[in-house]
Amino acid sequence: MLPKMDLNHFFALVESADIVIAVDGGAVHTACAFRKPLLSFFANSTPNLQMWTPLVAPQVPHYRVVNNVAKYSNDTANFPLSGAINWLIEQIERQEKR
């Protein structure tokens, strides 16, 4: 949903965010590098998850959502959202208290 931008602007945007919401890709790993609370969405692909799971620092809030599609799917749809919604509300409330 972001407009096209150069890498420096993208990094600055992620660095300025209070919470990052991203589908598996560069934004997920960039959020981890900047130690940002992260709501991440992944296809249900065990090999992909094993190889590319983001390195989230232990003290950084993170909620990972994996789709409900059969194993080894690259489909990024059909995510169970109730846990993600609750996590996001909690994180927004934490940010508001800061």
Side-chain angles (χ1 to χ4, degrees):
M1 298 195 74
L2 292 174
K4 285 189 177 186
M5 62 181 70
D6 63 45
L7 199 52
N8 289 330
H9 284 100
F10 175 73
F11 288 158
L13 177 66
V14 174
E15 184 179 27
S16 71
D18 293 324
I19 301 168
V20 175
I21 302 170
V23 175
D24 183 18
V28 168
H29 300 286
T30 303
C32 292
F34 284 114
R35 296 176 178 253
K36 297 295 179 174
L38 174 63
L39 174 56
S40 60
F41 294 85
F42 293 87
N44 193 357
S45 170
T46 302
N48 184 51
L49 289 169
Q50 288 175 343
M51 182 176 287
W52 297 108
T53 294
L55 300 174
V56 181
Q59 69 279 15
V60 176
H62 174 224
Y63 192 89
R64 179 171 76 174
V65 183
V66 178
N67 72 8
N68 287 328
V69 179
K71 274 188 168 182
Y72 309 112
S73 168
N74 287 322
D75 190 14
T76 52
N78 300 309
F79 293 105
L81 296 178
S82 61
I85 291 167
N86 292 334
W87 182 90
L88 184 57
I89 290 169
E90 180 182 313
Q91 296 308 309
I92 291 169
E93 288 172 351
R94 284 186 186 179
Q95 294 295 326
E96 289 175 342
K97 291 177 183 176
R98 292 174 71 199

